[in-house]
């Protein structure tokens, strides 16, 4: 009887540890950030079209006049290779909080691993964004 109880306790401990690990893995914290004021790494699964090799994220806010039209400037880049996503505040506040976005607009270009390769703080010209993405894709 004691052996059965010991086996049951050991099995319970192992299953509890596996369940804890799976839950923690399911929704990990945002990738760690450096000391800069902009994200250096994104979790691609937080965004639509996570399988695209490149991701352009435009963080905007409803209260931001300079945010108007930026997503539309980025949208022509959308293709099988480039996902373009707008993350508006307050509608998608959770992602603004997750990546410590304190000001909008902020536009990030990330590679397939989620490493941010280009950042635009404030409004940008379509030409500047398109050139940055083209340079990164050709490198």
């Amino acid at each position: 009887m004691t052996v059965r109880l010991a086996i049951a306790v050991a099995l319970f401990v192992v299953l509890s540890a596996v369940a804890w690990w799976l839950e923690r893995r399911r929704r990990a914290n945002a990738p760690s950030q450096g000391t800069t004021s902009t994200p250096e790494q994104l979790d691609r699964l937080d965004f639509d079209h996570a399988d695209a090799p490149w991701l352009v994220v435009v963080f905007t806010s409803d209260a931001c006049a300079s945010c108007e039209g930026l997503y539309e400037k980025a949208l022509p880049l959308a293709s099988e290779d480039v996902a373009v996503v707008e993350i508006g505040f307050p509608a998608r506040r959770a992602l603004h909080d997750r990546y410590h976005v304190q000001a909008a607009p902020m536009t990030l270009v990330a590679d397939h691993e989620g490493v941010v390769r280009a950042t635009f703080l404030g409004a940008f010209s379509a030409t500047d964004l398109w050139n940055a993405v083209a340079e990164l894709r050709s490198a």
Side-chain angles (χ1 to χ4, degrees):
M1 186 74 162
T2 315
V3 173
R4 287 184 185 175
L5 181 59
I7 291 173
V9 169
L11 186 58
F12 175 77
V13 169
V14 169
L15 290 176
S16 295
V18 168
W20 173 82
W21 178 77
L22 287 173
E23 180 62 27
R24 185 172 168 94
R25 185 172 168 227
R26 184 178 67 86
R27 189 64 175 164
N29 291 332
S32 62
Q33 306 299 322
T35 58
T36 63
S37 61
T38 60
E40 297 174 354
Q41 179 79 35
L42 302 175
D43 182 347
R44 291 293 303 266
L45 297 177
D46 284 340
F47 305 95
D48 295 335
H49 312 292
D51 56 334
W54 291 96
L55 171 65
V56 176
V57 181
V58 183
F59 285 96
T60 62
S61 172
D62 290 351
C64 168
S66 60
C67 294
E68 292 178 25
L70 292 182
Y71 175 66
E72 289 73 17
K73 286 183 185 180
L75 202 51
L77 292 168
S79 67
E80 288 183 22
D81 292 332
V82 181
V84 178
V85 181
E86 180 178 24
I87 307 298
F89 183 89
R92 300 196 61 193
R93 180 183 187 138
L95 283 177
H96 279 252
D97 291 345
R98 183 167 165 84
Y99 291 103
H100 310 289
V101 175
Q102 300 297 316
M106 180 188 332
T107 304
L108 308 172
V109 181
D111 65 15
H112 69 283
E113 293 178 337
V115 176
V116 176
R117 301 293 182 180
T119 302
F120 294 86
L121 296 174
F124 57 83
S125 73
T127 304
D128 289 341
L129 178 63
W130 299 351
N131 285 339
V133 172
E135 286 179 24
L136 289 168
R137 289 180 66 192
S138 66

